[in-house]
Every structure is written in structure tokens, then in C-alpha cells.
Amino acid sequence: MDTIKIDDNPLELAEKIVEDIKFSKEKGLLKCVQCGMCTSMCPGARNSEYNPRAMIEKVLEGDESVISDKTIWNCFYCYTCHSICPVGNSACEVNQILRQIAISKGIANEEVSPFAGFVDLMMDIGLGGIPDNFHQDLIRDIGKEWEEKNMNLNKIREELGLKPLEMPKNSIKEIRVLLKKTGLDKRVNKLRE
Ligand code: SF4
Ligand code: SF4
């Protein structure tokens, strides 16, 4: 027989999410009627074990195991759930806040650290780009021609009469200062510990 745990304040987690700066205040997390529309339209749910309706249910029950649930990392923020919910809830925003809680607790390093290379590139060249650790996946998915284009980008630009893609040194410095001021560099280093 299942044991039902009666929490003192089952809405503590939900209230924390509603109060988060990233949550649209008008969205109706507490009005979720568990209709399942979000899950039925969610491409993440169609292709994995992820279930936005069940995620919201756990939040409303105060079940904090949802924070360490690996399936929440299968949402890719298409916002379909956000636009379709009949009570104006946003499973997508709830997901983003749960992930931030997981990162703050240090239990999401496995999921997030592969993306640290994006921050390295911003620090080094002041531009977004595809980090080296994704190259093999892209060669596999797109084909060898992707690698050839990527490796010879400046040569291709030259043939097209374009200058090399470079950020002015002063701008790179400014970007570095801004990223450091936000504490992003420290956060990324922590992910690698
Ligand atoms: S979040 Fe919205 S769409 Fe999803 S189950 Fe709740 S009410 Fe339905
Ligand atoms: S934003 Fe995430 S949860 Fe919402 S429909 Fe898209 S993949 Fe699913």
C-alpha cells in the first residue's frame, strides 16, 4: 500500500516558483487543472519520458524529488505548453526555475557542464559559437561537409569578399568584464568542479 505523506506546507515549492523573478506573475500555476494538454502537445514528452503535466503535479504536491528528476532536462523550451494551457500556466517557465534550483543545489553538473564551452567562447572571442565538444556530434548529424565549412570559415569568407569574423579587442574586454560582473565565470567554474 502506498503511504501518502501529508506535508505541513505542500505549496512551499509552488509558492517559491511563483515568486521567482523568471515566472510571469499572471501565469496560473496554482490553477492547473491537470488536463494534460501540455503533455499531449509537448514534443519533449513525445520523444522521451518527460511529462510536463506530471512535473506540475509534483510541484503542486510539494514533491521536491522533481528537482532532481533527470527527465526535466528533456524540455527544449519551444513554449508550446505555454501557449496552449487553458488556465494560463507555463510548464516551460516552471521547468526553467526547477532547473535553476537544481543547478544551485549542484545536482545538475552532468546536464549543464557540456554547455560551459559557450561561456568560454564568449570570454575568449566575445562571440557565441559552437564549442569543440559538440563538433563530433555535428559531424555525425550533418556530415563531413559541416566540418569542412567550419574549419575553413575564414577562407570561405575571404572568397566571398568578407572580412574574418572577429570582435574588436576592446569589445571582447568589455564583454569579459560584464560576464565576470554577473558572476557567470564563477558559476561555470563551479560546474566543472
Ligand atoms: S499546466 Fe495547463 S495544460 Fe498542463 S495540465 Fe495544467 S492546466 Fe493542463
Ligand atoms: S516548452 Fe518544454 S515542456 Fe513546453 S511543450 Fe516545449 S518541450 Fe514541452
Side-chain angles (χ1 to χ4, degrees):
M1 193 178 79
D2 287 343
T3 308
I4 298 172
K5 181 172 167 272
I6 311 265
D7 209 308
D8 285 344
N9 182 8
L11 286 182
E12 204 175 325
L13 178 59
E15 282 162 359
K16 190 173 170 185
I17 288 170
V18 171
E19 284 313 309
D20 193 289
I21 194 164
K22 288 182 285 306
F23 194 71
S24 312
K25 296 290 173 265
E26 70 277 15
K27 297 286 169 194
L29 169 60
L30 303 180
K31 293 185 196 151
C32 172
V33 287
Q34 288 288 293
C35 65
M37 292 266 283
C38 50
T39 301
S40 70
M41 299 299 286
C42 169
R46 206 170 308 139
N47 294 292
S48 76
E49 296 297 308
Y50 173 55
N51 183 332
R53 183 208 58 74
M55 173 188 70
I56 300 291
E57 182 183 25
K58 283 188 181 169
V59 167
L60 292 173
E61 286 173 345
D63 181 350
E64 298 213 358
S65 71
V66 69
I67 296 165
S68 49
D69 182 345
K70 299 271 182 207
T71 71
I72 65 170
W73 295 90
N74 294 332
C75 163
F76 48 90
Y77 300 159
C78 65
Y79 278 77
T80 308
C81 55
H82 182 104
S83 60
I84 205 161
C85 176
V87 296
N89 187 24
S90 175
C92 181
E93 287 180 357
V94 172
N95 180 302
Q96 290 170 37
I97 296 161
L98 290 174
R99 286 186 185 185
Q100 288 299 324
I101 298 173
I103 292 168
S104 304
K105 283 177 177 275
I107 55 174
N109 293 10
E110 198 187 315
E111 284 79 13
V112 184
S113 57
F115 299 94
F118 284 104
V119 178
D120 295 339
L121 280 173
M122 290 298 287
M123 287 277 194
D124 292 345
I125 59 170
L127 290 168
I130 299 171
D132 291 353
N133 53 324
F134 292 115
H135 285 189
Q136 287 310 317
D137 289 340
L138 284 161
I139 293 168
R140 188 198 60 215
D141 292 347
I142 303 172
K144 200 81 183 137
E145 68 273 19
W146 179 85
E147 187 185 21
E148 278 154 21
K149 269 200 201 107
N150 193 56
M151 300 312 286
N152 299 308
L153 195 57
N154 280 341
K155 197 164 170 278
I156 295 168
R157 289 181 66 84
E158 199 184 313
E159 283 166 12
L160 293 170
L162 299 168
K163 290 184 180 158
L165 202 56
E166 271 173 22
M167 183 72 90
K169 288 203 174 12
N170 273 353
S171 306
I172 298 177
K173 249 192 213 162
E174 283 175 16
I175 288 169
R176 232 174 255 157
V177 169
L178 287 172
L179 293 179
K180 284 193 172 180
K181 283 235 182 260
T182 64
L184 188 62
D185 59 329
K186 282 200 194 105
R187 206 162 185 207
V188 167
N189 289 340
K190 205 162 184 325
L191 284 177
R192 290 181 163 131
E193 281 171 6

